Amino acid sequence: MFDALAERLEDTWKKLRGQGKISQSNIQEALQEVRKALLEADVNFQVVKSFVAEVEKNALGAEVISGVNPQQQFIKIVYDELVKVMGESNAPLAEADKPPRVVLMAGLQGAGKTTATAKLALYLQKQKRSCLMVATDVYRPAAIQQLITLGTQISVPVFELGTGANPVDIARQGLEEAKNKGIDTVIIDTAGRLQIDQEMMAELAQVKDAVNPDEVLLVVDSMTGQEAANVTRSFHEEIGITGAILTKMDGDSRGGAALSIRTISGQPIKFIGVGEKVEALEPFYPDRMASRILN
Ligand code: GDP
């Protein structure tokens, strides 16, 4: 495991060898390599800075373990810190005090929000939880149709009022419908813009206030690199997220966005999207992501 990082650190190790102990002076080059590896994995540069500072502190404070060479020990410290920051174990979807549970999906256009709405509905349906998907993206008629098509495909009902209604009213009425029908989980798909704008945020905040969600999941495209950090910061400051779904992890992204999202919002990544198909959703595991980021 972590062959790539070990290889990178080869030259640095030569200098460390024989010194037996990690010290302030001999660790700097190794930290520099970790910094580069994380930046290449698209972790936000400010996040990299604070992460590397923490690794340095941990490495300098580490007891030398007999039988383990300083290289192995250093890599383990980096790995352990990554897992720790990303949340140790898988964080399940929050439950509601009383049904229906309300999940609000947020994110930029193209991030994979509508697809993730259907993926999540299918995932929950397989656990015998009934779902209703609510289409509030009145700005793109295609978005409503897309949700209806996905709903038909997975046999999950969709609540919509066309493009003429107000998103807040649609969300509110969708929730009522779920209550009346005894549905377990309502997943509300919202409008996204290509870029963050105030109007979009204000509307999203209104929808949130109207339905008082148990989860606000930010859907982030893992391929957007450094931008994932800005998106997370804006959404978290403006509406407050409770978790995230990192999409398009079937591509060649190393997943550094996961570390950025978690560090910036303090909220866990709950799922990853691993394909265009509606079945392509998996729970997020911090240890697996740590390995991917380091390799
Ligand atoms: P929205 O605008 O945020 O609702 O985004 P969509 O759900 O319409 O997705 C935008 C595009 O990304 C579509 O072509 C999806 O098929 C694709 N997509 C969404 N999630 C994934 C994923 O996990 N992997 C891949 N490869 N494509 C995805």
Side-chain angles (χ1 to χ4, degrees):
M1 221 173 12
F2 318 134
D3 292 347
L5 185 62
E7 215 168 278
R8 264 171 186 279
L9 292 168
E10 205 43 52
D11 288 344
T12 318
W13 294 149
K14 287 187 190 130
K15 292 174 201 152
L16 271 177
R17 215 162 278 158
Q19 301 197 25
K21 194 172 177 302
I22 297 171
S23 74
Q24 186 105 47
S25 60
N26 68 24
I27 199 185
Q28 291 313 318
E29 283 182 43
L31 289 171
Q32 188 57 27
E33 290 302 326
V34 171
R35 194 172 287 129
K36 275 197 232 158
L38 293 177
L39 286 171
E40 278 170 24
D42 277 335
V43 180
N44 172 263
F45 67 95
Q46 281 164 329
V47 172
V48 170
K49 218 169 155 187
S50 63
F51 180 85
V52 170
E54 198 56 32
V55 167
E56 180 173 15
K57 205 173 83 191
N58 294 348
L60 292 175
E63 292 285 325
V64 177
I65 305 167
S66 62
V68 177
N69 64 35
Q71 296 96 295
Q72 289 163 336
Q73 198 175 348
F74 179 78
I75 289 184
K76 177 140 183 13
I77 289 167
V78 175
Y79 173 77
D80 286 350
E81 183 60 22
L82 264 178
V83 176
K84 188 179 136 210
V85 173
M86 288 193 294
E88 309 272 2
S89 62
N90 170 253
L93 213 58
E95 293 291 343
D97 293 336
K98 72 177 199 328
R101 164 172 58 188
V102 179
V103 181
L104 188 66
M105 307 292 274
L108 294 183
Q109 189 178 315
K113 216 176 332 93
T114 304
T115 311
T117 300
K119 284 178 175 177
L120 188 59
L122 180 63
Y123 181 87
L124 294 172
Q125 190 173 248
K126 282 183 183 161
Q127 298 175 351
K128 307 271 177 274
R129 315 281 300 253
S130 59
C131 291
L132 176 70
M133 302 192 287
V134 180
T136 72
D137 188 354
V138 296
Y139 307 102
R140 281 195 314 138
I144 299 179
Q145 193 48 52
Q146 187 187 350
L147 201 62
I148 293 170
T149 305
L150 288 167
T152 308
Q153 201 181 320
I154 60 173
S155 303
V156 169
V158 173
F159 182 87
E160 52 104 8
L161 296 174
T163 53
N166 171 308
V168 177
D169 293 337
I170 304 170
R172 208 179 264 136
Q173 288 185 43
L175 181 54
E176 274 312 304
E177 166 112 342
K179 278 182 190 160
N180 295 338
K181 293 197 166 158
I183 281 175
D184 177 78
T185 302
V186 182
I187 310 173
I188 303 174
D189 187 21
T190 60
R193 304 277 200 280
L194 287 172
Q195 276 170 339
I196 294 155
D197 70 56
Q198 273 324 107
E199 213 180 308
M200 163 199 179
M201 285 296 182
E203 185 185 279
L204 195 55
Q206 282 173 10
V207 172
K208 186 187 172 197
D209 286 348
V211 297
N212 190 25
D214 301 287
E215 285 277 9
V216 180
L217 297 182
L218 179 64
V219 180
V220 183
D221 180 346
S222 64
M223 308 291 282
T224 53
Q226 295 278 323
E227 190 53 23
N230 300 331
V231 169
T232 303
R233 193 172 290 112
S234 306
F235 276 88
H236 195 50
E237 279 174 10
E238 298 285 338
I239 56 160
I241 64 168
T242 60
I245 298 181
L246 196 56
T247 65
K248 309 186 192 180
M249 284 300 293
D250 49 312
D252 57 7
S253 149
R254 298 253 306 279
L259 186 62
S260 306
I261 294 168
R262 177 73 200 221
T263 304
I264 288 167
S265 70
Q267 302 302 316
I269 319 294
K270 300 214 164 179
F271 295 95
I272 57 170
V274 292
E276 292 192 58
K277 292 217 174 81
V278 84
E279 297 84 13
L281 184 78
E282 294 176 359
F284 172 80
Y285 291 102
D287 49 350
R288 291 185 203 163
M289 192 62 82
S291 306
R292 182 156 169 172
I293 290 173
L294 290 182
N295 269 307

